[in-house]
Amino acid sequence: MSVHTEDRKKITVLQLKKMKQQGEKITVLTAYDYTTAKIIDEAGIDVILVGDSASNTMVGNPTTLGITLDQMIYYTKSVVNGTKRSLVIADMPFGTVSGNPLKSLDAAIRMMQETGADAIKIEGGAEIKEDVKKIIDAGIPVMAHLGLMPQSINKYGTYAIRGKEEAEAKKLIEDCLLMEELGAFGILLEKIPAKLASQISKQISIPTIGIGAGVETDGQVLVIQDVMGMNKDFSPKFLRRYADLHTIMTEATKHYISDVKTKNFPSEKESY
Ligand code: KIV
């Protein structure tokens, strides 16, 4: 059965797999607060990702490294409170899943228990194999995040496209196959050649969600502030803006300032 906007039943990870099998694209947007989550949930988005991009978009940090588990739990809980139908995936922030399976499991349990999220997303491949296995064995659905991994910015020194060189593409394919074997329910592929993303999406049975990975992934994800045009300074090739909230909010703010300054607000009708 395919999933339609008017179908108000909660989306599950199993349903995402069915959508891939049926060739129905999976829609994903990020959100970090109750109000935005409620709007995009009611608009029919399949998945809401509480990305660690909150570090950039909500806190103004230069990288995703500056956000903690406690902060991600706070944002995720806010999104869960605003969501009825969409699947909510919470990002595990930098340092919480990094080669110590028991510590990683503790962090993943906190995230699930304290937020009510449906699943978590983890950046990394073979290096964190044991962590991912431990978490999945505990019954927590995991989406892997491969390709460009912003949490490793200090290792690579650039946000440039990944998987262009043969060796890197080979390791990426191996990591995807490994994550599928470990039981991940999906893979987010960030900023890799469209041809490579297409090949991976055909090779594995779990859904791929792309950002800057071409049209052949099983779904697409974008950051909500970018999609809504709230951030004029960020214009990567892969981004399509669907609104110009920067202009709308600037104009509305100016209008409000003017009304207050000129005693045009509040009116008698707006007063008690
Ligand atoms: O944290 C995030 O927002 C992400 C993006 C790649 C969607 O992972």
Side-chain angles (χ1 to χ4, degrees), residues 30 32 49-54 64 91 121 123 145 150 188 190 211 221-223:
T30 70
Y32 320 95
L49 170 66
V50 190
D52 61 356
S53 50
T64 59
D91 230 347
K121 173 167 84 60
E123 280 187 29
H145 180 151
L188 189 149
E190 180 164 359
I211 176 163
V221 59
L222 284 172
V223 168

Side-chain angles (χ1 to χ4, degrees), residues 13 16-17 87 89 119-120 136 141-143 183-187 206-207:
V13 294
L16 299 186
K17 199 166 176 188
L87 184 93
I89 304 179
I120 58 172
I136 292 174
V142 170
M143 169 170 277
F185 73 88
I187 298 180
I206 54 176

Side-chain angles (χ1 to χ4, degrees), residues 161-162 189 191-202 212-217:
I161 185 166
R162 311 306 310 251
L189 293 171
K191 226 173 167 188
I192 64 168
K195 219 170 132 190
L196 178 60
S198 168
Q199 181 192 331
I200 292 169
S201 303
K202 286 184 187 124
V215 77
E216 296 297 339
T217 51

Side-chain angles (χ1 to χ4, degrees), residues 35-172:
T35 307
T36 309
K38 192 162 184 299
I39 292 170
I40 63 176
D41 177 70
E42 287 172 1
I45 200 79
D46 296 319
V47 178
I48 301 180
L49 170 66
V50 190
D52 61 356
S53 50
S55 179
N56 313 110
T57 58
M58 302 304 285
V59 190
N61 291 325
T63 71
T64 59
L65 274 66
I67 199 152
T68 64
L69 180 60
D70 283 337
Q71 289 166 331
M72 284 303 298
I73 286 173
Y74 175 85
Y75 288 121
T76 305
K77 179 77 186 126
S78 312
V79 166
V80 168
N81 286 345
T83 306
K84 284 204 176 102
R85 172 187 170 270
S86 316
L87 184 93
V88 177
I89 304 179
D91 230 347
M92 294 304 289
F94 175 68
T96 52
V97 180
S98 54
N100 181 338
L102 283 178
K103 191 171 157 263
S104 303
L105 178 60
D106 273 352
I109 288 174
R110 272 201 67 200
M111 180 61 90
M112 296 295 286
Q113 209 159 42
E114 294 178 33
T115 68
D118 302 302
I120 58 172
K121 173 167 84 60
I122 303 174
E123 280 187 29
E127 312 74 31
I128 52 159
K129 172 182 166 181
E130 297 305 327
D131 307 63
V132 172
K133 183 171 172 356
K134 193 102 197 145
I135 291 169
I136 292 174
D137 284 352
I140 299 173
V142 170
M143 169 170 277
H145 180 151
L146 294 163
L148 173 64
M149 292 179 279
Q151 289 175 11
S152 302
I153 180 62
N154 293 319
K155 179 173 166 188
Y156 296 103
T158 167
Y159 290 110
I161 185 166
R162 311 306 310 251
K164 269 172 97 175
E165 308 304 326
E166 206 183 310
E168 203 174 54
K170 185 168 172 281
K171 155 100 170 92
L172 177 58

